[in-house]
Amino acid sequence: MVLTRSFVRAKQPCSDGFRWFVRQFDEGGHYQELLDKMVAAGRVGDACWLLQQFGPTGEVRVVDAIEADAIVFAGTLQVRGSVDVEGVIHVGRSLHAGGGLRVGGDLTVGEDLRVEGGVRGEGRIDIGGDLRAGWGVDCAGELRCRGEARIGWDLHCAGRLRLDGGACVGLDLHGKDDIRCSKGLQVGGELIAEAGLRAEQGITAGGSIHAALHLEAGWGIKAGAVVEAGGAIRVGEGLHAGEAIRAGAGYGVFAGLGVHMEAWEASARVSAPHRPEGLMSGWWAGPVAC
């Protein structure tokens, strides 16, 4: 795709950026060539703006590895090895890496991100499709995944965590802000939210589930050890913990909020070694059966 001077002007660019464009390309240039030259000239912000205005392309670029200051690519990037970028990565469609991925700035991928190794992001991560990581994911900012998330090892997020699809984390999940999942959330180890935790469907964890504020699930919650919240615990169906269920001081435990009361014995059972204090609703079933 060729971007002409009039085509770019119609998007109302900043005057400095448009003057640079005219000096470099006069009447116009190839879309990806423009992006590459902007990044090479240190105008990464202008390149990201251009990609946001004109959108992704069907171009596919295959390389052995990437080590760069920044990457702005409108199509799909397929990297046989690892990706190591000091600044921003902005990809219009998908990014696939056969090794690991490290990015010193924000990571934006319009469609799927698939990484055989681990992902380390020192800024914000925004994935428009699915997120697949063979190892762990460590994000120093906010993380948003608009598709399904499948992570082999740990997931650590220092900002808000938003998962629009279902999520499966092989080991521990630790969020230092709110965690929101629009479907089901499955964690192999510990699940820790240093603020609130909510899933529209169910939550399961092999270890304990801790939320500093309210803990909520549209379906049920099941943990191998402790289910604990600093606020209320609210679930639409049943609640099961291998060790204990504890709401915050002065807060209640509410099960069966999405189930007719006559069905509580079958569909809103609350199981733990000891009856939780403040159990306000649901069917107390006693200790979890072995």
Side-chain angles (χ1 to χ4, degrees):
M1 178 169 61
V2 174
L3 300 185
T4 65
R5 180 192 296 199
S6 59
F7 203 10
V8 173
R9 183 190 290 118
K11 297 293 184 178
Q12 299 181 331
C14 68
S15 57
D16 178 62
F18 187 67
R19 283 195 300 269
W20 183 89
F21 169 81
V22 172
R23 287 197 303 269
Q24 298 294 319
F25 296 96
D26 192 19
E27 289 302 319
H30 186 272
Y31 186 17
Q32 187 57 53
E33 181 185 2
L34 283 168
L35 296 176
D36 291 341
K37 288 195 173 182
M38 285 178 173
V39 171
R43 306 187 72 92
V44 178
D46 289 343
C48 291
W49 177 86
L50 200 69
L51 179 52
Q52 290 166 358
Q53 298 303 311
F54 293 99
T57 67
E59 184 175 351
V60 177
R61 180 178 291 178
V62 181
V63 297
D64 289 331
I66 292 178
E67 185 173 347
D69 293 330
I71 294 290
V72 181
F73 189 74
T76 292
L77 272 178
Q78 296 180 353
V79 186
R80 297 186 182 93
S82 296
V83 177
D84 191 344
V85 173
E86 289 298 326
V88 167
I89 296 177
H90 192 159
V91 176
R93 291 204 182 275
S94 296
L95 171 57
H96 302 165
L101 184 151
R102 186 194 74 86
V103 53
D106 291 343
L107 169 62
T108 304
V109 179
E111 295 180 357
D112 297 339
L113 173 64
R114 299 176 185 272
V115 179
E116 297 299 321
V119 177
R120 180 184 173 190
E122 297 174 19
R124 176 180 55 85
I125 296 178
D126 191 335
I127 310 301
D130 294 341
L131 168 59
R132 299 284 192 274
W135 297 0
V137 175
D138 192 342
C139 177
E142 179 178 338
L143 192 157
R144 176 78 180 269
C145 175
R146 301 169 198 272
E148 303 289 314
R150 296 290 182 270
I151 297 165
W153 295 0
D154 296 328
L155 169 57
H156 295 276
C157 183
R160 292 185 301 169
L161 177 59
R162 296 291 182 271
L163 303 165
D164 292 356
C168 180
V169 178
L171 299 177
D172 297 339
L173 192 163
H174 188 174
K176 294 189 176 182
D177 205 321
D178 281 335
I179 298 175
R180 296 289 183 269
C181 182
S182 298
K183 291 187 178 179
L185 179 56
Q186 179 180 345
V187 176
E190 303 284 314
L191 171 51
I192 301 171
E194 295 189 23
L197 169 59
R198 177 175 177 79
E200 297 300 326
Q201 297 180 2
I203 302 174
T204 64
S208 294
I209 299 173
H210 299 276
L213 301 177
H214 299 310
L215 170 58
E216 303 174 82
W219 295 359
I221 292 178
K222 183 176 182 180
V226 175
V227 174
E228 183 176 37
I233 299 174
R234 296 188 284 259
V235 297
E237 298 179 5
L239 176 58
H240 305 271
E243 295 181 5
I245 300 170
R246 293 191 290 264
Y251 290 97
V253 177
F254 302 85
L257 295 178
V259 177
H260 196 282
M261 291 178 63
E262 293 181 356
W264 276 3
E265 185 175 1
S267 301
R269 298 171 68 86
V270 179
S271 299
H274 304 283
R275 182 186 177 97
E277 294 185 12
L279 180 61
M280 307 302 291
S281 65
W283 182 275
W284 170 242
V288 178
C290 297

